[in-house]
Amino acid sequence: MQLNHPDIQEVLVTADQIQERVAELATEISEFYKDKEVLLLGILKGAVPFMADISRALSIPVLQDWMAVSSYGSGTVSSGVVRILKDLDADIKDRHVLIVEDIIDSGLTLSWLTSNLKARGAASVEIVTLLRKPEAAKVRIAVRWVGFDIPNAFVVGYGLDYNEHYRSLDGVGILSPSVYE
Ligand code: 5GP
């Protein structure tokens, strides 16, 4: 569905801009892992469109797995509490893992997840995120690839939801606060 929706206050990233950036990121990622077998670890549910697009844009073969973690509940402010709702299907010991994430806000979720995956014996853990908010800079996590740095607002679209709505919008925009206030 197109982003020109009445609940969207401001368009931040259009569908075309996402596809252009995905192609650039895929070139860099393919080069980085050219001699290694990489496992793409998508974070449900928000990263589904990004995973689908970036994995198909890569020029290297990859494995895919998924995890679901929760840090938000149904609100719009990060709680810092991370729960595993769905774990990986396979062992990642000695594997090169690339976490595919939709957005980094406080960074708490990925900081926790990176340590968790390293503790399971992954050979390496890297992160590609489509979006990053300024707050993420306060946490010490090394994010190797970022699609777009965006302002500190609650956004939806391209996988990102508010109470399960708006995931199917083809770009990313700021949700009008009147929807959740
Ligand atoms: P963090 O732990 O970095 O604060 O939060 C990461 C998670 O919070 C993301 O995976 C995403 O699920 C959710 N999140 C953070 N900011 C936003 C936002 O602006 N919109 C939506 N829909 N989810 C967000």
Side-chain angles (χ1 to χ4, degrees):
M1 188 182 173
Q2 289 188 342
L3 195 56
N4 55 358
H5 185 288
D7 294 347
I8 299 301
Q9 177 180 282
E10 186 189 335
V11 172
L12 286 183
V13 196
T14 65
D16 286 349
Q17 287 170 328
I18 292 175
Q19 294 315 320
E20 206 175 297
R21 188 74 185 113
V22 162
E24 289 170 1
L25 292 170
T27 302
E28 290 178 25
I29 293 168
S30 300
E31 174 63 24
F32 185 85
Y33 289 109
K34 65 174 184 249
D35 303 320
K36 301 188 182 93
E37 186 175 64
V38 61
L39 172 77
L40 301 183
L41 170 53
I43 308 303
L44 294 168
K45 303 171 194 170
V48 168
F50 187 39
M51 175 72 134
D53 286 343
I54 198 121
S55 60
R56 287 176 299 164
L58 294 172
S59 59
I60 51 166
V62 293
L63 302 171
Q64 292 187 12
D65 204 344
W66 298 90
M67 274 180 87
V69 295
S70 161
S71 68
Y72 261 37
S74 61
T76 59
V77 179
S78 189
S79 66
V81 179
V82 180
R83 280 188 302 147
I84 295 182
L85 305 177
K86 183 226 168 281
D87 208 345
L88 289 153
D89 289 335
D91 190 2
I92 52 161
K93 188 162 172 10
D94 300 329
R95 289 212 171 277
H96 295 283
V97 179
L98 174 59
I99 300 172
V100 179
E101 177 63 302
D102 47 7
I103 190 165
I104 306 183
D105 183 359
S106 69
L108 292 169
T109 306
L110 281 189
S111 160
W112 178 88
L113 190 59
T114 304
S115 318
N116 181 285
L117 298 174
K118 285 184 178 159
R120 300 187 201 197
S124 66
V125 180
E126 301 290 349
I127 298 166
V128 56
T129 183
L130 180 72
L131 306 168
R132 180 174 62 182
K133 291 190 193 175
E135 287 295 309
K138 292 187 187 166
V139 186
R140 278 181 209 282
I141 41 167
V143 184
R144 195 169 284 275
W145 297 284
V146 177
F148 301 92
D149 278 307
I150 61 166
N152 199 10
F154 190 78
V155 299
V156 294
Y158 196 71
L160 287 158
D161 77 311
Y162 175 66
N163 283 350
E164 298 302 325
H165 292 275
Y166 312 107
R167 289 194 199 276
S168 64
L169 297 178
D170 62 3
V172 175
I174 298 178
L175 184 63
S176 174
S178 62
V179 175
Y180 53 84
E181 271 168 359

